[in-house]
Amino acid sequence: IRLPEGRRQVAAILGTVLVGAAYVPLDVMWPDHRIAQIAEQCSLAALCEPGGRIDDLLADPAAWLPQSA
């Protein structure tokens, strides 16, 4: 979850926890290359951020997205 502090961030955290998923808090001030490193290390399945720039964070998003069975 990479959202600024506020209602949207709280809603995202609560929604994630309520469905039984895990989340990684990401600071909106961190540079994209740092977010990409964390995303790769954690094997993130999704990224919640304003604008949804998930493709910009990693050169090859398919490398860390879950593979279909």
Side-chain angles (χ1 to χ4, degrees), residues 8-32:
R8 291 180 65 201
Q9 182 190 48
V10 172
I13 292 170
L14 287 175
T16 302
V17 171
L18 287 174
V19 299
Y23 73 93
V24 178
L26 303 169
D27 193 313
V28 295
M29 299 304 290
W30 291 345
D32 285 346

Side-chain angles (χ1 to χ4, degrees), residues 23-57:
Y23 73 93
V24 178
L26 303 169
D27 193 313
V28 295
M29 299 304 290
W30 291 345
D32 285 346
H33 69 87
R34 179 65 181 130
I35 301 297
Q37 289 173 339
I38 294 170
E40 187 174 5
Q41 292 170 355
C42 295
S43 300
L44 294 182
L47 180 64
C48 180
E49 73 169 359
R53 301 173 315 149
I54 197 166
D55 291 332
D56 296 340
L57 296 178

